[in-house]
Amino acid sequence: MGWDRATPFTIDLQVGAEDIDGLGHANNAVYVTWLERCAWRHSQRLGLDLVEYRRLDRAMAVVRHEIDYLAAAYEGDELQLATWIVDWDQRLKMTRHFQLIRPSDNATLLRAQTTFVCIELSSGKPKRMPAEFIEGYGPAIQNPETAQI
C-alpha cells in the first residue's frame, strides 16, 4: 500500500448507499465521520476510550480539520483509512494525519490533518493532558523521519 508514513493505524471501510450524495459519490461530510471513527479506534487501541476519558475528566476535542479531497469514492468501494499522530506538545495540542486509499487501484482519495486540544469534560475548557494521555498517546507519536512523502 502506498502509505505516506510508516506503521499506520488503519481501519477498513465500505462505501454504502447512505454515503452517496446527489452527485453520485461519497458526500464530503461522510469523510469527516470516517476520520472521527479512525481517530477513535486508534485512541481505543492505545487504551484511551470514552470510559477512560470520563474517568479522567479529559478529552481530545477537534479544533480544526484540513481536508484535501483528491478523488471520489463510489458505492461499494472498499477503502482503507490510516492515521498517524504526528505532533503534540504534551500539554494541550495534538495533530493527526490521515490518508484514505482505495486498495483496488491504490488511489489516494483523501489526505487530512486534524488538530485536537485537550479539554476538561466537566467545564469544556482547555486543560493540560493528564499523565495517562502522555503515557497512552506518547508511544504512537511518529517521528518526522518516518515520513515517506
Side-chain angles (χ1 to χ4, degrees):
M1 200 76 65
W3 297 120
D4 291 342
R5 295 175 171 270
T7 62
F9 173 84
T10 63
I11 63 169
D12 295 325
L13 300 164
Q14 182 170 23
V15 182
E18 67 279 2
D19 300 325
I20 303 303
D21 64 18
L23 300 177
H25 58 253
N27 185 273
N28 62 298
V30 172
Y31 290 86
V32 176
T33 301
W34 293 339
L35 297 177
E36 178 186 26
R37 184 181 308 162
C38 187
W40 262 117
R41 288 192 185 160
H42 188 216
S43 289
Q44 291 166 339
R45 172 73 53 88
L46 298 172
L48 295 166
D49 59 12
L50 199 51
V51 171
E52 187 68 352
Y53 274 22
R54 287 184 180 133
R55 184 184 76 78
L56 296 168
D57 193 29
R58 295 289 189 282
M60 296 306 295
V62 172
V63 293
R64 181 177 176 89
H65 284 301
E66 296 175 57
I67 302 172
D68 293 319
Y69 298 97
L70 305 170
Y74 300 96
E75 186 174 351
D77 279 353
E78 306 252 344
L79 309 174
Q80 283 196 312
L81 180 58
T83 190
W84 303 265
I85 301 172
V86 298
D87 190 31
W88 72 335
D89 62 10
Q90 296 187 39
R91 294 183 308 277
L92 289 174
K93 284 189 172 184
M94 180 171 71
T95 303
R96 285 182 176 275
H97 283 182
F98 297 89
Q99 183 183 5
L100 181 65
I101 288 181
R102 184 174 43 230
S104 65
D105 61 0
N106 207 33
T108 293
L109 308 182
L110 169 145
R111 284 190 176 90
Q113 175 176 302
T114 300
T115 303
F116 298 83
V117 169
C118 186
I119 62 166
E120 182 179 57
L121 286 171
S122 58
S123 70
K125 294 182 179 179
K127 282 285 191 185
R128 191 176 184 93
M129 289 181 197
E132 290 88 344
F133 278 28
I134 294 168
E135 293 162 8
Y137 288 120
I141 301 296
Q142 291 275 312
N143 295 323
E145 53 274 1
T146 62
Q148 297 173 348
I149 305 174

